[in-house]
């Protein structure tokens, strides 16, 4: 397994693979890998084929964090990540640093001044709660596509809105890459796997299952009543979340899974997404009702 940290070296390698006719599969991550990430790696291998090349990028992207968020304390453990990826038979791990990705962005802003912005799907939910977040995501993913030159890139349904925005960016800007969205990997008690689960100490870990419990209760209610007012469901979800002493609802939304347009009358098939603070940790989850 090769570890590459320069953009130029990664691009050279990708071009060599292209000339040899190998398909390239990319899994972008911020590291501190868990079983959810590894399921994407297996999907990328399936799509690229035995003779193809699988690249995993590990980069905690500063432009997608607000100054008040957890960029500096985001969990990192490169040694452990590399060990896990070696077991999966990954060909190359791309680990650029900030200087490589954003040359002198803070000190000399003129040296980095081009961003990719999706203007519609990124207005609601995560985009409303974290205003500069998706601009950072689309910018770094566009850069990764230009550096790794993937034929296929795999993202997780865990970040449903992010996947929808990337699909839109690829379509709008004609990136020659196929986007695959893989299912959310969960802990046995339903909690969606996330690098941020590491922050959940003591009873907070138990309380964190409230996102899953609220989604399940909503699904049961919608299945029974068929057509439900979103306003009523939102009130119920808020109440449900706040039965846990350290949980606070940031948002819950019901929407069309293709357009992400909010829906006022919820029925089976509607998509639901929510963000909840459990202690200081902000968790997200989503699913089809
Ligand atoms: P992150 O490292 O959190 O930026 O995530 C990197 C990729 O892994 C993204 O495409 C995420 O949607 C995906 N991912 C994160 N958690 C999960 C999970 N529990 N199941 C499936 N995919 C996930």
């Amino acid at each position: 397994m090769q570890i590459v940290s320069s953009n130029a070296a990664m691009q050279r390698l990708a071009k060599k693979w292209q000339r040899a006719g190998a398909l390239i599969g990319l899994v972008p991550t911020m590291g501190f890998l868990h079983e959810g990430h590894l399921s994407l790696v297996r999907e990328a291998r399936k799509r690229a084929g035995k003779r193809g090349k699988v690249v995993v990028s590990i980069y905690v992207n500063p432009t997608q964090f607000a100054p008040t968020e957890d960029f500096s304390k985001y969990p990192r453990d490169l040694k452990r990540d590399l060990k896990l990826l070696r077991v999966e038979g990954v060909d190359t791990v791309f680990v650029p640093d900030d200087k490589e990705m954003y040359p002198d962005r803070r000190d000399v802003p003129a040296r980095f001044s081009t961003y990719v912005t999706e203007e519609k799907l990124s207005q609601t939910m995560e985009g409303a709660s974290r205003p500069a977040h998706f601009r950072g995501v689309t910018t770094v993913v566009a850069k990764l596509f230009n550096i790794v030159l993937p034929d296929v890139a795999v993202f997780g349904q865990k970040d449903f809105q992010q996947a929808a925005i990337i699909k839109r960016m690829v379509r709008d800007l004609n990136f020659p890459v196929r986007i695959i969205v893989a299912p959310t990997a969960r802990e046995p008690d339903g909690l969606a796997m996330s690098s941020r689960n590491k922050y959940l100490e003591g009873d907070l870990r138990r309380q964190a299952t409230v996102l899953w419990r609220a989604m399940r209760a909503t699904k049961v209610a919608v299945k029974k009543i068929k057509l439900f007012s979103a306003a009523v469901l939102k009130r119920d979800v808020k109440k449900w979340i706040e039965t846990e002493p350290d949980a606070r609802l940031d948002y819950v939304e019901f929407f069309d899974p293709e357009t992400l347009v909010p829906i006022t009358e919820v029925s089976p098939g509607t998509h639901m997404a929510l963000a909840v603070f459990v202690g200081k940790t902000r968790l997200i989850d989503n699913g089809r009702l």
Side-chain angles (χ1 to χ4, degrees), residues 52-205:
K53 301 291 179 183
V54 172
V55 180
V56 174
S57 62
I58 298 182
Y59 179 59
V60 184
N61 174 36
T63 63
Q64 69 189 65
F65 289 80
T68 51
E69 293 177 350
D70 58 344
F71 172 69
S72 58
K73 66 177 184 89
Y74 194 84
R76 293 162 168 89
D77 189 344
L78 185 60
K79 220 169 125 187
R80 180 175 156 275
D81 289 348
L82 294 177
K83 222 163 144 183
L84 291 169
L85 296 178
R86 205 165 277 127
V87 173
E88 294 299 329
V90 165
D91 294 283
T92 300
V93 186
F94 179 52
V95 278
D97 62 14
D98 289 341
K99 274 211 199 82
E100 194 67 8
M101 291 302 259
Y102 299 105
D104 298 335
R105 185 176 72 97
R106 292 218 168 74
D107 312 332
V108 190
R111 295 269 308 266
F112 188 93
S113 53
T114 307
Y115 291 85
V116 178
T117 316
E118 191 288 324
E119 300 194 345
K120 210 175 241 163
L121 307 180
S122 54
Q123 300 302 307
T124 59
M125 300 187 279
E126 287 302 282
S129 276
R130 307 178 66 189
H133 174 65
F134 285 125
R135 181 180 85 142
V137 170
T138 41
T139 300
V140 82
V141 171
K143 284 168 69 67
L144 289 169
F145 286 174
N146 284 330
I147 296 164
V148 180
L149 310 175
D151 297 284
V152 47
V154 187
F155 293 84
Q157 184 182 322
K158 159 83 190 328
D159 300 277
F160 189 87
Q161 189 178 13
Q162 167 176 286
I165 290 169
I166 286 163
K167 278 199 241 164
R168 178 64 59 90
M169 175 188 84
V170 161
R171 201 184 74 188
D172 287 351
L173 300 184
N174 308 93
F175 280 96
V177 56
R178 175 148 180 234
I179 303 300
I180 306 294
V181 183
T184 303
R186 298 183 179 279
E187 301 289 354
D189 62 7
L191 177 66
M193 290 185 182
S194 163
S195 307
R196 288 190 170 99
N197 292 351
K198 179 182 159 45
Y199 301 145
L200 300 169
E201 282 173 354
D203 188 52
L204 296 180
R205 171 62 186 80

